[in-house]
Amino acid sequence: MNKIRKASSILLCLAVSASLLAACGSSKDGEGSKGSSASSTTEGVKKDGFPIVDKPLTLKVMSQDAGKADWNTMPVLKEMEKLTGIHLEPQLSPIDSFATKKNLMFASGDLPDMLYAADLKPAEQVTYGTQGILLPLEKYIDEGYAPNLKKILDEHPDVRKSFTTPDGHMYALPFIDTGAVWYRSPMWYNGKFLKALHVTQLPKTTDELYTFLKRVKEEDPNGNGKKDEIPLTSVKLDDLRMYFFGFWGMYDEKIYADKDGKVHYSPQEEGYKGYLTFMNKLWKEDLLDHETFSQTPDQKKAKGQDNRIALFNDYYPYFTLGGEPSGDNPLMTPVQSEIPGTPVYGKHPGMSANGTFAITNKNPNPEATMRWIDYLYGYEGSTLFNQGPEGTLWKYKDKANHVKEWLPVPGGGDREEYRGTITPNFGILTPGIGDPEVSKGLRTDFDDWIDKENKEKLVPIGKTPFPNVYLTNEEQTEASALFSDLDTYVQQMEAKFVTGQVPLSDWDNYIAQLKKMGSDRIVELYQGAYDRWNTGK
């Protein structure tokens, strides 16, 4: 988990941007003090400049917590309180138990004033928005309380459209990074194995990939005289599935729209059969790790540290192989299969799939809250919450052009670990933007190498799998029930097909069962939602 947190933090710190809680509170002359509904208190709230409010305000914020430091003493939050006049009263839950706490909060009605790093799924936004528990936010955005956010939404109308529910409201805010590429972490080759096997051109077809993996198994590329190499490893196929699906023309693990706007359910596509056939071939020839369905992520990484893995998934290759960041272990080039038009790549949509911030009906001052959160959608706020106050971990080298440089870590130690003690923006997806300006001067050669690999190998074949669409309450209830059974069945059958417990000759029976369980209805529901989104209705 710590590696995951560091991964997300490194990216969010330099290329992305996040934010923190959100805030403000205090009602005018006691208005809204009962908390039954938010009052429209605008007196004493500035639309520009700081502090945001004339009198100090306190609001309760519920969020996930990476557990690095007390939010009440974090320098970033103290700095933000001085700037805005808004004090936050955090109600925190560990990352692993946040979803449970969030569900209990909605069920009990014991609401905070705002939700931060809230991971609000589309169904939650629709359900609790239409019930009046979450406030519509577009009013405050369009009335001038969120100039940074409004500018982004005006420049990227798809973001607004993708976070507007069927009833015409925005109940949650996304994390926005229009330059993002990875939807899931990608696949990497072990550079030492490539050198040992004198591979100068990475595989470009599934046949070439098979040949390479076969060589790994037979030619002792780690040079220890043992046949202990693992050509391809995984944890339950969940880490590699989406990347590999692209080899057979599928942009996502479940639902995607092709270039003509036709919606597909991946587990019943012909390309999925091709994927299963290939993976079964690797399994039978011991080219796919036979501990794939039983090992933990840490066990997988241990094999990488032991220099036994040729091809693997991770956020960065050195997280699995060890060592320092470098360009020695190349990003996997997606390979072409027997399916025409392949490979393809499911590219990040440029915004979070789930909502990262919301205001509840207990909030006495949504206008001030919107001003608070809007700061994080601009350069200054993004810098503060990602990198901390100037003079702690960084300083300006050329302030006029936003060029920064790193300072030594106070007391030594790991920069990311220390950063986690000064800002809540650590290990959780928070509201904000991915602004390249924030990391000017702080980027490393490794960051530039990653960008180059993405630009060459993924961007040319990339497309967002599916827009962030909303189903109606009735549709969502039906889809959730169908997916509950379908997901379990598909996952079980994937393992059985790959390991040979069920032969691929049973494919037609498998498809018949999917259709019986409602797979075609899933396509129908999401085609309707896509068409509504596409026409702006």
Side-chain angles (χ1 to χ4, degrees):
M1 176 63 73
N2 198 44
K3 284 288 189 182
I4 295 173
R5 290 174 187 162
K6 288 188 70 175
S8 65
S9 299
I10 291 168
L11 226 223
L12 292 175
C13 169
L14 296 184
V16 165
S17 144
S19 83
L20 180 259
L21 319 146
C24 60
S26 181
S27 51
K28 175 184 70 172
D29 298 329
E31 280 185 11
S33 60
K34 293 182 180 179
S36 59
S37 64
S39 66
S40 211
T41 305
T42 57
E43 184 177 325
V45 180
K46 299 176 185 174
K47 289 188 176 180
D48 53 56
F50 294 98
I52 291 172
V53 288
D54 291 341
K55 297 178 181 179
L57 303 176
T58 296
L59 285 190
K60 295 176 182 177
V61 56
M62 179 180 175
S63 183
Q64 304 181 64
D65 180 20
K68 289 294 179 183
D70 182 355
W71 282 29
N72 290 299
T73 60
M74 280 183 173
V76 164
L77 297 185
K78 285 188 169 185
E79 189 79 15
M80 193 64 171
E81 183 172 343
K82 282 192 292 184
L83 178 69
T84 65
I86 293 167
H87 174 74
L88 300 177
E89 190 177 297
Q91 299 175 345
L92 306 178
S93 177
I95 293 171
D96 295 341
S97 59
F98 177 75
T100 300
K101 183 174 180 180
K102 181 177 60 171
N103 290 337
L104 290 173
M105 178 270 296
F106 279 125
S108 70
D110 184 14
L111 304 171
D113 296 311
M114 72 201 74
L115 294 162
Y116 177 84
D119 193 32
L120 286 164
K121 297 172 177 55
E124 293 174 324
Q125 295 170 46
V126 170
T127 298
Y128 301 117
T130 55
Q131 289 178 8
I133 294 173
L134 301 180
L135 296 187
L137 303 178
E138 71 279 355
K139 172 178 181 285
Y140 308 110
I141 296 171
D142 294 334
E143 287 181 355
Y145 293 100
N148 291 320
L149 188 54
K150 188 170 191 315
K151 183 174 185 291
I152 295 169
L153 297 180
D154 288 346
E155 291 174 352
H156 302 281
D158 275 4
V159 176
R160 181 188 283 263
K161 185 165 69 168
S162 296
F163 266 76
T164 298
T165 60
D167 64 357
H169 294 303
M170 293 180 70
Y171 295 110
L173 300 180
F175 172 79
I176 302 167
D177 182 8
T178 56
V181 176
W182 299 346
Y183 213 146
R184 297 283 301 269
S185 51
M187 303 293 296
W188 308 92
Y189 285 107
N190 183 335
K192 291 179 180 177
F193 281 23
L194 296 176
K195 287 183 180 179
L197 297 173
H198 306 292
V199 174
T200 56
Q201 293 287 334
L202 297 179
K204 293 182 179 180
T205 67
T206 50
D207 287 343
E208 291 177 6
L209 177 60
Y210 166 78
T211 299
F212 167 76
L213 297 175
K214 191 83 170 168
R215 290 188 64 198
V216 169
K217 187 69 180 173
E218 296 173 348
E219 298 182 28
D220 190 28
N222 67 9
N224 64 0
K226 304 175 185 177
K227 285 200 171 185
D228 61 349
E229 289 85 356
I230 301 169
L232 173 65
T233 192
S234 174
V235 177
K236 297 179 175 60
L237 300 178
D238 183 60
D239 47 2
L240 65 72
R241 187 183 298 113
M242 184 164 172
Y243 205 86
F244 270 48
F245 270 24
F247 308 165
W248 284 272
M250 300 171 290
Y251 288 92
D252 188 73
E253 298 170 73
K254 283 189 184 182
I255 297 290
Y256 69 92
D258 61 26
K259 292 178 180 177
D260 297 322
K262 182 181 177 183
V263 173
H264 300 262
Y265 176 55
S266 297
Q268 67 181 21
E269 292 295 303
E270 195 63 26
Y272 185 64
K273 183 180 181 182
Y275 157 80
L276 292 175
T277 302
F278 184 75
M279 299 304 286
N280 172 248
K281 180 180 180 181
L282 298 186
W283 180 272
K284 286 191 295 188
E285 300 191 30
D286 205 19
L287 304 181
L288 171 62
D289 192 345
H290 276 207
E291 293 182 349
T292 283
F293 295 101
S294 59
Q295 69 181 343
T296 66
D298 285 343
Q299 289 170 328
K300 183 186 84 168
K301 289 179 189 294
K303 296 172 182 177
Q305 302 275 336
D306 205 27
N307 196 32
R308 295 174 56 205
I309 302 172
L311 180 61
F312 58 93
N313 169 282
D314 209 330
Y315 201 85
Y316 293 135
Y318 69 94
F319 285 1
T320 289
L321 299 177
E324 296 299 317
S326 75
D328 296 336
N329 305 292
L331 181 73
M332 182 188 192
T333 300
V335 298
Q336 180 182 4
S337 70
E338 68 279 5
I339 301 292
T342 59
V344 300
Y345 175 72
K347 184 177 175 291
H348 194 284
M351 69 195 92
S352 57
N354 295 332
T356 58
F357 176 82
I359 300 174
T360 77
N361 64 12
K362 298 294 173 110
N363 190 309
N365 202 323
E367 292 87 356
T369 304
M370 186 58 74
R371 273 288 331 268
W372 194 98
I373 198 63
D374 183 66
Y375 187 63
L376 286 84
Y377 285 91
Y379 169 78
E380 299 289 345
S382 182
T383 292
L384 176 63
F385 277 88
N386 283 315
Q387 297 158 352
E390 182 181 3
T392 302
L393 287 175
W394 63 277
K395 67 177 182 181
Y396 276 112
K397 193 174 183 179
D398 177 1
K399 189 168 185 177
N401 292 302
H402 294 166
V403 180
K404 307 183 182 89
E405 60 183 339
W406 291 121
L407 295 172
V409 178
D414 184 85
R415 184 178 302 278
E416 275 302 295
E417 293 292 322
Y418 187 86
R419 196 179 67 82
T421 68
I422 65 173
T423 176
N425 176 23
F426 182 87
I428 52 179
L429 185 63
T430 56
I433 54 167
D435 183 358
E437 287 288 302
V438 171
S439 57
K440 282 178 69 172
L442 303 179
R443 291 178 59 83
T444 65
D445 290 343
F446 180 71
D447 295 322
D448 293 336
W449 176 75
I450 291 288
D451 283 351
K452 183 171 179 289
E453 291 285 276
N454 286 336
K455 187 175 181 180
E456 290 178 358
K457 299 175 180 179
L458 302 181
V459 173
I461 59 170
K463 184 187 83 68
T464 298
F466 202 70
N468 192 52
V469 304
Y470 293 89
L471 301 180
T472 64
N473 266 325
E474 294 76 15
E475 290 171 339
Q476 186 63 63
T477 299
E478 183 181 2
S480 296
L482 292 174
F483 271 134
S484 178
D485 293 335
L486 282 167
D487 290 351
T488 300
Y489 178 67
V490 167
Q491 186 177 12
Q492 291 173 347
M493 291 303 295
E494 178 187 46
K496 290 179 179 179
F497 278 132
V498 170
T499 60
Q501 294 178 50
V502 174
L504 266 301
S505 58
D506 271 14
W507 174 258
D508 290 344
N509 292 332
Y510 160 77
I511 291 295
Q513 181 62 24
L514 285 183
K515 292 181 181 297
K516 184 178 177 181
M517 297 173 74
S519 60
D520 285 344
R521 176 58 177 159
I522 285 290
V523 173
E524 184 180 345
L525 287 169
Y526 280 87
Q527 184 71 62
Y530 177 84
D531 291 343
R532 287 196 302 266
W533 177 89
N534 203 36
T535 57
K537 295 180 180 177

